[in-house]
Amino acid sequence: SIRNNHGYLGNKSKLWQNGIKSPLYVRWGDNYKSKDVERLVTITDVFPTLLEIAGISIPINNKQLDGRSFKPYLEHEEATLTPREAIFAQWYPMWEKNQWQPLSTEQKAELEFNRQRLTWISDNYKLLLNPKNAPGTPERMDNVVLIDRRADPLESTNIASAKPDLVDEIIVKMKSWFDGILAAEHSFIAPEFVIGLNERKVSQINAYGPSKVVGAVNNSHRLQGFDDLGEYVEYNLKIKNPGNYQVVANTGDSNLKDVKVRLTCNSRRSEQTLKNSDRQEIGTIDLYEGSHTMRIEILENPDGGTFGR
């Protein structure tokens, strides 16, 4: 009740207004005069806006940005930009077994549009597909809720039955967007951790960002579930600064005493018996510039402990 003191529906990560809406405050000395702008922007618009203000062009070979600059809004020129439309997804699909696991090519191909939790938003309307119910949410019609954002900012009434043509039009836009993501070569790929960028001596690999898991369970902010011999996780690495690297893990909040693991990368192997420590050395590997796959595998686990961070 303290965080949600404005009456909006839902909560963090959900598609109702309380999970999506955030005010944006922009201040730049004497360059901008105070004004409220009631126009939709998204977080993807912030970067293009800063680039335009700074006079920086995007490189020709850069991937296309999702956002657009809203610099005219800051200069009280709202009419120069066409109204914004945006699509948001709930942070994970509730029906998946584990929302944090790496998604294989086969699993990506099996994703169905009509099962997704998505919302399309404009300045005037908002359509929610398969929204998760929350206290006070209106009843769905064929798994769809349509909101008149101008007349109903608290999202109390589903007007989908009164505007079937608009619902169909928005669904077509959403499906086209979703199909485009599935068709994109780089979508749903596991992260590639950059090592030694700008000559850095220390680089971080998040344990919960593996490219492949066998037996382990990937969860929010940590990797867990190493309990059988032969189970392993792999990570994609991009080496910018070649050299000899010491690999250190944070296992301080785990139960890994006496667990033996093998670290493999670039044809180099290192074995280590672990303990519960915030700074547990796993091994040392020599890395040349380019892409690598690093694997950590369970060799012995007498007590069935689980990996920490």
Side-chain angles (χ1 to χ4, degrees):
S1 61
I2 295 176
R3 295 179 64 180
N4 184 13
N5 58 7
H6 39 57
Y8 292 134
L9 297 178
N11 55 14
K12 179 180 177 181
S13 83
K14 307 304 186 295
L15 300 178
W16 301 100
Q17 198 72 336
N18 195 41
I20 293 178
K21 179 179 173 65
S22 294
L24 173 64
Y25 298 94
V26 179
R27 180 173 179 265
W28 185 17
D30 296 329
N31 291 276
Y32 298 140
K33 296 180 180 180
S34 297
K35 184 179 181 180
D36 290 337
V37 180
E38 293 292 333
R39 299 294 292 273
L40 175 66
V41 299
T42 80
I43 195 169
T44 60
D45 297 329
V46 174
F47 183 52
T49 304
L50 294 175
L51 290 178
E52 183 178 2
I53 291 173
I56 299 174
S57 299
I58 298 176
I60 296 176
N61 61 350
N62 201 85
K63 285 187 172 65
Q64 181 180 352
L65 298 181
D66 290 328
R68 68 174 187 179
S69 171
F70 57 86
K71 181 172 176 281
Y73 292 167
L74 306 178
E75 299 173 349
H76 303 177
E77 298 175 359
E78 291 93 324
T80 63
L81 282 181
T82 58
R84 182 78 154 89
E85 296 180 1
I87 296 177
F88 294 88
Q90 187 168 319
W91 72 324
Y92 66 91
M94 288 292 191
W95 52 86
E96 298 294 345
K97 182 178 180 180
N98 186 319
Q99 69 272 23
W100 305 103
Q101 297 293 81
L103 197 65
S104 68
T105 303
E106 293 75 17
Q107 290 170 318
K108 172 183 172 180
E110 293 173 356
L111 292 176
E112 300 176 16
F113 167 75
N114 58 11
R115 298 182 66 201
Q116 306 305 308
R117 297 185 189 272
L118 303 172
T119 188
W120 173 94
I121 302 178
S122 70
D123 284 330
N124 296 318
Y125 293 99
K126 176 178 178 180
L127 185 142
L128 299 94
L129 178 65
N130 301 314
K132 184 172 176 59
N133 291 332
T137 55
E139 186 175 350
R140 308 180 196 177
M141 187 191 79
D142 297 329
N143 291 324
V144 167
V145 173
L146 181 66
I147 301 294
D148 184 332
R149 298 190 65 218
R150 301 285 189 187
D152 184 19
L154 297 183
E155 302 179 319
S156 62
T157 305
N158 184 2
I159 62 170
S161 61
K163 293 185 175 292
D165 292 342
L166 180 58
V167 169
D168 291 343
E169 177 186 337
I170 296 173
I171 290 292
V172 169
K173 291 181 180 180
M174 295 172 71
K175 188 175 188 307
S176 176
W177 172 86
F178 184 74
D179 289 344
I181 289 178
L182 291 185
E185 181 181 359
H186 61 278
S187 64
F188 294 98
I189 62 174
E192 188 174 55
F193 295 97
V194 180
I195 307 299
L197 182 64
N198 297 328
E199 305 296 323
R200 289 176 183 166
K201 299 299 183 183
V202 178
S203 302
Q204 180 171 302
I205 301 171
N206 294 326
Y208 51 90
S211 59
K212 184 177 181 179
V213 294
V214 174
V217 177
N218 196 36
N219 285 321
S220 174
H221 305 304
R222 69 190 61 216
L223 186 77
Q224 296 177 308
F226 271 127
D227 51 20
D228 281 325
L229 304 186
E231 294 182 350
Y232 65 88
V233 289
E234 292 182 346
Y235 299 90
N236 294 331
L237 308 183
K238 184 77 169 183
I239 312 305
K240 293 291 187 178
N241 184 25
N244 196 255
Y245 283 86
Q246 181 188 43
V247 180
V248 176
N250 179 352
T251 60
D253 60 348
S254 63
N255 181 23
L256 285 172
K257 189 176 184 298
D258 299 328
V259 172
K260 188 175 184 180
V261 298
R262 174 187 292 144
L263 170 71
T264 306
C265 188
N266 189 22
S267 301
R268 296 293 184 90
R269 290 186 174 185
S270 178
E271 296 180 2
Q272 184 67 259
T273 300
L274 303 179
K275 55 186 177 182
N276 299 333
S277 170
D278 291 342
R279 186 175 174 81
Q280 167 71 63
E281 182 177 353
I282 305 296
T284 302
I285 49 178
D286 188 34
L287 299 175
Y288 55 83
E289 188 173 356
S291 298
H292 299 262
T293 299
M294 184 179 75
R295 175 186 289 197
I296 300 177
E297 180 180 359
I298 294 290
L299 298 181
E300 298 177 10
N301 191 356
D303 298 324
T306 58
F307 204 85
R309 301 184 183 209

